[in-house]
Amino acid sequence: MSKQGKMNKVTTSVIRTMKKNGEKITMLTAYDYSTAAAMDEAGIDMILIGDSLAMVVLGYDSTLPVTMEDMLHHTKAVSRAVKRAMVIGDMPFMSYQASVEEAVRNAGRFMKEAGAHGVKLEGGREVAEVTRRISSAGIPVMAHLGLTPQSVHQLGGYKVQGKEAIAATRIKEDAKILQDNGAFSLVLEAVPASLAAEITDSLDIPTIGIGAGVNCDGQVLVVNDMLGLFEKFTPKFVKKYANLNVDMKKAIEQYLSEVREGSFPGPEHSF
Ligand code: KIV
């Protein structure tokens, strides 16, 4: 928990101060009211309604099909639960690439309609102008470099990025460009820990790592991965803090057999 105190709302300036003070920033994804409430009560700093929604909740094979309407629907549910954490809406594929005007309008929808406190978008120097324009509209922008899942077809799969010197240099340059264009923080996904550490040291804005080693200013995981709810595949960087899929199946099986044998509902559940 941040030293800023449990009930103080987390804002961009709190996040910046945490980096300055060397306090680690905590972030998880959430897509629904109950999960977001549990995270907020536990004292999490930031909650991301990730476009991972597409894969871990909606069952698509990639993040590409998820729509603005899907993202807004789930961001609204999370916002209703959260009292303290900073809520970040993830801009879905093709909501910010076609034009700067459309990007600003869509970012605005996350704030106006869904109660988000900021947005995240993927990409490097190619989204510098979009980052600058959304930020100058008063909307905090979280940047995202390294493995950017919306570009999976261009990247040729979900692979570690920045292993070669040229690629590493480009990511470092992009990080600085995005900071200079107003990003308030930066997600680094699936990059070597040494590269993430170097970028973290070189920036004033905090880095949030996922598969980027321990030296980032904060960490994020997809909640369905870390709770063991999503079993289709588990990236190497995920630590499972629970096995809820196993517990869920056990509970469902017990319910089925109690209904079938007539032991549920008991008198205590009846009127
Ligand atoms: O969509 C998502 O969940 C993300 C996180 C992995 C950072 O972008």
Side-chain angles (χ1 to χ4, degrees), residues 64-122:
L64 300 173
V66 80
T67 64
M68 267 304 291
E69 302 313 317
D70 294 331
M71 293 302 303
L72 292 173
H73 181 67
H74 287 267
T75 303
K76 286 178 196 175
V78 167
S79 293
R80 282 181 209 118
V82 172
K83 296 188 172 72
R84 175 185 172 271
M86 183 166 184
V87 173
I88 308 291
D90 206 2
M91 297 195 67
F93 180 59
M94 289 317 290
S95 69
Y96 58 94
Q97 289 91 342
S99 76
V100 173
E101 286 68 27
E102 201 179 351
V104 175
R105 227 170 275 124
N106 281 326
R109 292 191 70 195
F110 274 101
M111 313 293 280
K112 255 181 108 131
E113 296 175 36
H117 309 130
V119 298
K120 178 172 84 58
L121 51 91
E122 297 181 6

Side-chain angles (χ1 to χ4, degrees), residues 26-225:
T26 55
M27 180 160 102
L28 283 170
T29 67
Y31 318 97
D32 69 276
Y33 178 89
S34 305
T35 312
M39 287 176 187
D40 200 49
E41 281 160 25
I44 200 163
D45 299 310
M46 292 200 277
I47 297 179
L48 171 71
I49 302 83
D51 64 353
S52 48
L53 169 73
M55 298 173 82
V56 302
V57 175
L58 302 180
Y60 292 116
D61 284 337
S62 76
T63 59
L64 300 173
V66 80
T67 64
M68 267 304 291
E69 302 313 317
D70 294 331
M71 293 302 303
L72 292 173
H73 181 67
H74 287 267
T75 303
K76 286 178 196 175
V78 167
S79 293
R80 282 181 209 118
V82 172
K83 296 188 172 72
R84 175 185 172 271
M86 183 166 184
V87 173
I88 308 291
D90 206 2
M91 297 195 67
F93 180 59
M94 289 317 290
S95 69
Y96 58 94
Q97 289 91 342
S99 76
V100 173
E101 286 68 27
E102 201 179 351
V104 175
R105 227 170 275 124
N106 281 326
R109 292 191 70 195
F110 274 101
M111 313 293 280
K112 255 181 108 131
E113 296 175 36
H117 309 130
V119 298
K120 178 172 84 58
L121 51 91
E122 297 181 6
R125 60 201 71 190
E126 67 282 3
V127 294
E129 173 67 0
V130 162
T131 300
R132 191 182 64 74
R133 287 281 301 280
I134 295 175
S135 301
S136 51
I139 301 172
V141 176
M142 176 178 278
H144 184 158
L145 288 172
L147 172 53
T148 46
Q150 291 177 15
S151 307
V152 61
H153 296 296
Q154 201 169 41
L155 299 174
Y158 298 101
K159 301 176 193 162
V160 177
Q161 302 295 309
K163 286 207 281 193
E164 283 83 35
I166 295 177
T169 301
R170 189 171 172 92
I171 295 174
K172 278 188 267 183
E173 287 171 2
D174 281 349
K176 177 77 169 64
I177 291 169
L178 292 166
Q179 171 176 274
D180 292 346
N181 278 277
F184 83 96
S185 62
L186 167 66
V187 168
L188 288 171
E189 179 166 353
V191 298
S194 54
L195 173 61
E198 210 183 310
I199 293 171
T200 300
D201 276 349
S202 72
L203 295 182
D204 298 322
I205 60 171
T207 58
I208 312 291
I210 173 163
V214 75
N215 289 314
C216 293
D217 297 304
Q219 297 291 328
V220 58
L221 283 175
V222 169
V223 68
N224 294 47
D225 288 338

Side-chain angles (χ1 to χ4, degrees), residues 234-253:
T234 306
K236 172 184 155 72
F237 54 71
V238 170
K239 177 172 174 182
K240 286 194 183 182
Y241 287 82
N243 255 308
L244 293 195
N245 201 44
V246 172
D247 293 346
M248 179 165 66
K249 274 190 209 140
K250 258 196 231 153
I252 293 167
E253 280 163 9

